[in-house]
mmCIF file with all atom_site columns, all heavy atoms in Angstrom:
data_model
loop_
_atom_site.group_PDB
_atom_site.id
_atom_site.type_symbol
_atom_site.label_atom_id
_atom_site.label_alt_id
_atom_site.label_comp_id
_atom_site.label_asym_id
_atom_site.label_entity_id
_atom_site.label_seq_id
_atom_site.pdbx_PDB_ins_code
_atom_site.Cartn_x
_atom_site.Cartn_y
_atom_site.Cartn_z
_atom_site.occupancy
_atom_site.B_iso_or_equiv
_atom_site.pdbx_formal_charge
_atom_site.auth_seq_id
_atom_site.auth_comp_id
_atom_site.auth_asym_id
_atom_site.auth_atom_id
_atom_site.pdbx_PDB_model_num
ATOM 1  N N   . GLY B 1 78  ? 33.890 280.786 62.499 1.00 0.00 ? 92  GLY B N   1
ATOM 2  C CA  . GLY B 1 78  ? 33.743 279.358 62.786 1.00 0.00 ? 92  GLY B CA  1
ATOM 3  C C   . GLY B 1 78  ? 33.286 278.539 61.596 1.00 0.00 ? 92  GLY B C   1
ATOM 4  O O   . GLY B 1 78  ? 33.442 277.322 61.571 1.00 0.00 ? 92  GLY B O   1
ATOM 5  N N   . ASN B 1 81  ? 35.584 276.930 57.112 1.00 0.00 ? 95  ASN B N   1
ATOM 6  C CA  . ASN B 1 81  ? 35.937 275.727 56.355 1.00 0.00 ? 95  ASN B CA  1
ATOM 7  C C   . ASN B 1 81  ? 34.982 275.487 55.197 1.00 0.00 ? 95  ASN B C   1
ATOM 8  O O   . ASN B 1 81  ? 35.252 274.648 54.350 1.00 0.00 ? 95  ASN B O   1
ATOM 9  C CB  . ASN B 1 81  ? 35.960 274.488 57.246 1.00 0.00 ? 95  ASN B CB  1
ATOM 10 C CG  . ASN B 1 81  ? 37.225 274.387 58.044 1.00 0.00 ? 95  ASN B CG  1
ATOM 11 O OD1 . ASN B 1 81  ? 37.209 274.578 59.251 1.00 0.00 ? 95  ASN B OD1 1
ATOM 12 N ND2 . ASN B 1 81  ? 38.342 274.112 57.384 1.00 0.00 ? 95  ASN B ND2 1
ATOM 13 N N   . ASP B 1 98  ? 41.773 279.232 58.881 1.00 0.00 ? 112 ASP B N   1
ATOM 14 C CA  . ASP B 1 98  ? 41.721 279.641 60.284 1.00 0.00 ? 112 ASP B CA  1
ATOM 15 C C   . ASP B 1 98  ? 40.252 279.749 60.669 1.00 0.00 ? 112 ASP B C   1
ATOM 16 O O   . ASP B 1 98  ? 39.573 280.707 60.316 1.00 0.00 ? 112 ASP B O   1
ATOM 17 C CB  . ASP B 1 98  ? 42.432 280.977 60.472 1.00 0.00 ? 112 ASP B CB  1
ATOM 18 C CG  . ASP B 1 98  ? 42.493 281.425 61.924 1.00 0.00 ? 112 ASP B CG  1
ATOM 19 O OD1 . ASP B 1 98  ? 41.932 280.725 62.799 1.00 0.00 ? 112 ASP B OD1 1
ATOM 20 O OD2 . ASP B 1 98  ? 43.104 282.479 62.186 1.00 0.00 ? 112 ASP B OD2 1
ATOM 21 N N   . ASN B 1 99  ? 39.755 278.749 61.379 1.00 0.00 ? 113 ASN B N   1
ATOM 22 C CA  . ASN B 1 99  ? 38.340 278.713 61.735 1.00 0.00 ? 113 ASN B CA  1
ATOM 23 C C   . ASN B 1 99  ? 38.106 279.010 63.216 1.00 0.00 ? 113 ASN B C   1
ATOM 24 O O   . ASN B 1 99  ? 37.070 278.663 63.766 1.00 0.00 ? 113 ASN B O   1
ATOM 25 C CB  . ASN B 1 99  ? 37.713 277.377 61.344 1.00 0.00 ? 113 ASN B CB  1
ATOM 26 C CG  . ASN B 1 99  ? 38.337 276.206 62.082 1.00 0.00 ? 113 ASN B CG  1
ATOM 27 O OD1 . ASN B 1 99  ? 39.074 276.377 63.035 1.00 0.00 ? 113 ASN B OD1 1
ATOM 28 N ND2 . ASN B 1 99  ? 38.040 275.001 61.629 1.00 0.00 ? 113 ASN B ND2 1
ATOM 29 N N   . ALA B 1 100 ? 39.061 279.677 63.853 1.00 0.00 ? 114 ALA B N   1
ATOM 30 C CA  . ALA B 1 100 ? 38.897 280.050 65.262 1.00 0.00 ? 114 ALA B CA  1
ATOM 31 C C   . ALA B 1 100 ? 37.848 281.145 65.370 1.00 0.00 ? 114 ALA B C   1
ATOM 32 O O   . ALA B 1 100 ? 37.894 282.137 64.644 1.00 0.00 ? 114 ALA B O   1
ATOM 33 C CB  . ALA B 1 100 ? 40.226 280.519 65.840 1.00 0.00 ? 114 ALA B CB  1
ATOM 34 N N   . GLY B 1 101 ? 36.916 280.957 66.273 1.00 0.00 ? 115 GLY B N   1
ATOM 35 C CA  . GLY B 1 101 ? 35.846 281.926 66.450 1.00 0.00 ? 115 GLY B CA  1
ATOM 36 C C   . GLY B 1 101 ? 35.590 282.195 67.909 1.00 0.00 ? 115 GLY B C   1
ATOM 37 O O   . GLY B 1 101 ? 36.269 281.655 68.784 1.00 0.00 ? 115 GLY B O   1
ATOM 38 N N   . GLY B 1 102 ? 34.602 283.016 68.169 1.00 0.00 ? 116 GLY B N   1
ATOM 39 C CA  . GLY B 1 102 ? 34.268 283.327 69.549 1.00 0.00 ? 116 GLY B CA  1
ATOM 40 C C   . GLY B 1 102 ? 32.991 284.123 69.661 1.00 0.00 ? 116 GLY B C   1
ATOM 41 O O   . GLY B 1 102 ? 32.403 284.555 68.661 1.00 0.00 ? 116 GLY B O   1
ATOM 42 N N   . THR B 1 108 ? 35.535 281.036 73.324 1.00 0.00 ? 122 THR B N   1
ATOM 43 C CA  . THR B 1 108 ? 36.099 280.782 72.001 1.00 0.00 ? 122 THR B CA  1
ATOM 44 C C   . THR B 1 108 ? 35.764 279.362 71.560 1.00 0.00 ? 122 THR B C   1
ATOM 45 O O   . THR B 1 108 ? 35.395 278.514 72.375 1.00 0.00 ? 122 THR B O   1
ATOM 46 C CB  . THR B 1 108 ? 37.627 280.974 71.997 1.00 0.00 ? 122 THR B CB  1
ATOM 47 O OG1 . THR B 1 108 ? 38.209 280.064 72.924 1.00 0.00 ? 122 THR B OG1 1
ATOM 48 C CG2 . THR B 1 108 ? 37.996 282.403 72.362 1.00 0.00 ? 122 THR B CG2 1
ATOM 49 N N   . PHE B 1 109 ? 35.922 279.121 70.279 1.00 0.00 ? 123 PHE B N   1
ATOM 50 C CA  . PHE B 1 109 ? 35.678 277.796 69.706 1.00 0.00 ? 123 PHE B CA  1
ATOM 51 C C   . PHE B 1 109 ? 36.462 277.673 68.421 1.00 0.00 ? 123 PHE B C   1
ATOM 52 O O   . PHE B 1 109 ? 36.941 278.671 67.881 1.00 0.00 ? 123 PHE B O   1
ATOM 53 C CB  . PHE B 1 109 ? 34.181 277.552 69.459 1.00 0.00 ? 123 PHE B CB  1
ATOM 54 C CG  . PHE B 1 109 ? 33.548 278.579 68.568 1.00 0.00 ? 123 PHE B CG  1
ATOM 55 C CD1 . PHE B 1 109 ? 33.587 278.452 67.190 1.00 0.00 ? 123 PHE B CD1 1
ATOM 56 C CD2 . PHE B 1 109 ? 32.908 279.685 69.102 1.00 0.00 ? 123 PHE B CD2 1
ATOM 57 C CE1 . PHE B 1 109 ? 33.007 279.393 66.353 1.00 0.00 ? 123 PHE B CE1 1
ATOM 58 C CE2 . PHE B 1 109 ? 32.325 280.641 68.270 1.00 0.00 ? 123 PHE B CE2 1
ATOM 59 C CZ  . PHE B 1 109 ? 32.373 280.486 66.900 1.00 0.00 ? 123 PHE B CZ  1
ATOM 60 N N   . ASP B 1 110 ? 36.606 276.453 67.943 1.00 0.00 ? 124 ASP B N   1
ATOM 61 C CA  . ASP B 1 110 ? 37.271 276.197 66.668 1.00 0.00 ? 124 ASP B CA  1
ATOM 62 C C   . ASP B 1 110 ? 36.322 275.463 65.739 1.00 0.00 ? 124 ASP B C   1
ATOM 63 O O   . ASP B 1 110 ? 35.834 274.380 66.079 1.00 0.00 ? 124 ASP B O   1
ATOM 64 C CB  . ASP B 1 110 ? 38.539 275.354 66.864 1.00 0.00 ? 124 ASP B CB  1
ATOM 65 C CG  . ASP B 1 110 ? 39.644 276.135 67.536 1.00 0.00 ? 124 ASP B CG  1
ATOM 66 O OD1 . ASP B 1 110 ? 39.883 277.286 67.132 1.00 0.00 ? 124 ASP B OD1 1
ATOM 67 O OD2 . ASP B 1 110 ? 40.265 275.607 68.463 1.00 0.00 ? 124 ASP B OD2 1
ATOM 68 N N   . GLY B 1 111 ? 36.048 276.057 64.601 1.00 0.00 ? 125 GLY B N   1
ATOM 69 C CA  . GLY B 1 111 ? 35.267 275.414 63.568 1.00 0.00 ? 125 GLY B CA  1
ATOM 70 C C   . GLY B 1 111 ? 33.816 275.199 63.912 1.00 0.00 ? 125 GLY B C   1
ATOM 71 O O   . GLY B 1 111 ? 33.316 275.601 64.960 1.00 0.00 ? 125 GLY B O   1
ATOM 72 N N   . VAL B 1 112 ? 33.150 274.518 62.997 1.00 0.00 ? 126 VAL B N   1
ATOM 73 C CA  . VAL B 1 112 ? 31.714 274.309 63.137 1.00 0.00 ? 126 VAL B CA  1
ATOM 74 C C   . VAL B 1 112 ? 31.398 273.385 64.312 1.00 0.00 ? 126 VAL B C   1
ATOM 75 O O   . VAL B 1 112 ? 30.398 273.589 65.007 1.00 0.00 ? 126 VAL B O   1
ATOM 76 C CB  . VAL B 1 112 ? 31.098 273.814 61.808 1.00 0.00 ? 126 VAL B CB  1
ATOM 77 C CG1 . VAL B 1 112 ? 31.524 272.408 61.471 1.00 0.00 ? 126 VAL B CG1 1
ATOM 78 C CG2 . VAL B 1 112 ? 29.588 273.929 61.836 1.00 0.00 ? 126 VAL B CG2 1
ATOM 79 N N   . ALA B 1 113 ? 32.256 272.397 64.577 1.00 0.00 ? 127 ALA B N   1
ATOM 80 C CA  . ALA B 1 113 ? 32.017 271.507 65.727 1.00 0.00 ? 127 ALA B CA  1
ATOM 81 C C   . ALA B 1 113 ? 32.121 272.296 67.034 1.00 0.00 ? 127 ALA B C   1
ATOM 82 O O   . ALA B 1 113 ? 31.312 272.110 67.950 1.00 0.00 ? 127 ALA B O   1
ATOM 83 C CB  . ALA B 1 113 ? 32.997 270.338 65.712 1.00 0.00 ? 127 ALA B CB  1
ATOM 84 N N   . GLY B 1 114 ? 33.096 273.179 67.116 1.00 0.00 ? 128 GLY B N   1
ATOM 85 C CA  . GLY B 1 114 ? 33.238 274.008 68.305 1.00 0.00 ? 128 GLY B CA  1
ATOM 86 C C   . GLY B 1 114 ? 32.082 274.975 68.463 1.00 0.00 ? 128 GLY B C   1
ATOM 87 O O   . GLY B 1 114 ? 31.625 275.247 69.575 1.00 0.00 ? 128 GLY B O   1
ATOM 88 N N   . LEU B 1 115 ? 31.610 275.514 67.333 1.00 0.00 ? 129 LEU B N   1
ATOM 89 C CA  . LEU B 1 115 ? 30.448 276.400 67.367 1.00 0.00 ? 129 LEU B CA  1
ATOM 90 C C   . LEU B 1 115 ? 29.231 275.653 67.888 1.00 0.00 ? 129 LEU B C   1
ATOM 91 O O   . LEU B 1 115 ? 28.491 276.155 68.736 1.00 0.00 ? 129 LEU B O   1
ATOM 92 C CB  . LEU B 1 115 ? 30.177 276.967 65.973 1.00 0.00 ? 129 LEU B CB  1
ATOM 93 C CG  . LEU B 1 115 ? 28.907 277.787 65.789 1.00 0.00 ? 129 LEU B CG  1
ATOM 94 C CD1 . LEU B 1 115 ? 28.885 279.001 66.702 1.00 0.00 ? 129 LEU B CD1 1
ATOM 95 C CD2 . LEU B 1 115 ? 28.766 278.204 64.328 1.00 0.00 ? 129 LEU B CD2 1
#
Side-chain angles (χ1 to χ4, degrees):
N95 280 109
D112 184 357
N113 63 12
T122 60
F123 57 86
D124 289 314
V126 70
L129 173 60

